[in-house]
């Protein structure tokens, strides 16, 4: 009678644990600590692709790319992006992740162009950046932290309005 609740609780805990492992992995990669990233990701429990497997797969691809294993990393990016429609992510989140993969694929390629398979996945789409889940933008930023732009200074205050009532 209660086994359904225990199973649901276990699944939620696995998803939370996998999400936490991916966060640690991406932080380690941002600091160029590849082995620490591998260790962090190794703590992620196996989850169904639609639940959290996509995120673990994406982090795994980033480890491969950072370690210089371009072919394996690019293949993992393609695999994850081609299956994003199997998830319950919003359209904006899926398209954001595909664009993220395209950027990382371009950075990893010898000629600065992502593989055709990745480019085909992101052709002709739009997304509203403001609707992308903030945690996705945190773990998978489109720009590398080195390239992060400093916020522009606030605009100057408007000039005082003088009334010309003579």
């Amino acid at each position: 009678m209660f086994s359904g609740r225990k199973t649901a609780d276990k699944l939620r805990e696995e998803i939370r644990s996998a999400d936490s492992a991916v966060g640690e992995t991406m932080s380690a990669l941002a600091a160029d600590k590849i082995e620490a990233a591998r260790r962090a990701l190794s703590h992620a429990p196996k989850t169904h692709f639609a639940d959290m497997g996509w995120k673990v797969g994406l982090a795994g691809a980033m480890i491969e790319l950072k370690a210089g294993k371009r072919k394996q990393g690019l293949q993992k990016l393609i695999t994850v992006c081609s299956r994003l429609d199997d998830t319950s992510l919003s359209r904006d989140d899926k398209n954001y992740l595909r664009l993220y993969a395209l950027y990382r694929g371009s950075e990893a390629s010898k000629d600065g162009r992502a593989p055709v398979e990745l480019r085909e996945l992101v052709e002709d789409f739009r997304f509203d950046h403001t609707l992308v889940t903030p945690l996705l933008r945190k773990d998978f930023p489109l720009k590398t932290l080195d390239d992060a732009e400093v916020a522009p200074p606030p605009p100057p205050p408007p000039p005082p309005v003088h009334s010309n009532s003579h």
Side-chain angles (χ1 to χ4, degrees), residues 5 7 9 11-12 18 27 37 47 49 52 60 62 67 75 86-87 92 95 111 118 121 125-126 129 135 139 146:
R5 187 179 323 154
T7 302
D9 289 345
L11 178 62
R12 273 193 294 279
S27 293
T47 59
F49 183 83
M52 191 55 64
M62 295 312 303
Q75 190 54 53
D86 298 343
T87 69
D92 290 313
N95 288 336
D111 62 359
L118 271 179
L121 288 170
F125 75 82
R126 296 172 190 250
H129 195 76
L135 285 175
D139 286 342
D146 305 341

Side-chain angles (χ1 to χ4, degrees), residues 93-165:
D93 287 350
K94 290 174 193 173
N95 288 336
Y96 175 88
L97 290 171
R98 288 179 178 127
L99 185 61
Y100 173 83
L102 182 71
Y103 283 7
R104 301 297 85 82
S106 297
E107 291 170 354
S109 72
K110 291 179 181 176
D111 62 359
R113 288 178 54 106
V116 172
E117 299 91 340
L118 271 179
R119 291 194 315 260
E120 287 174 351
L121 288 170
V122 296
E123 280 183 19
D124 301 325
F125 75 82
R126 296 172 190 250
F127 68 94
D128 184 340
H129 195 76
T130 61
L131 296 179
V132 174
T133 305
L135 285 175
L136 282 183
R137 293 193 312 245
K138 177 186 157 290
D139 286 342
F140 303 105
L142 290 181
K143 294 184 177 194
T144 55
L145 295 178
D146 305 341
D147 300 340
E149 296 176 10
V150 177
V161 178
H162 298 293
S163 60
N164 292 337
S165 57

Side-chain angles (χ1 to χ4, degrees), residues 22 25-26 29-30 34 37-38 41 55-69 72-74 76-77 80 100-105 107-108 139-141 144:
V22 168
T25 299
M26 297 310 290
L29 285 178
I34 296 170
R38 284 188 199 282
L41 196 60
K55 200 170 191 181
V56 172
L58 193 54
M62 295 312 303
I63 290 173
E64 298 298 328
L65 291 176
K66 200 72 145 171
K69 297 180 180 177
Q72 296 96 317
L74 290 172
K76 284 184 179 185
L77 282 178
V80 169
Y100 173 83
L102 182 71
Y103 283 7
R104 301 297 85 82
E107 291 170 354
D139 286 342
F140 303 105
T144 55

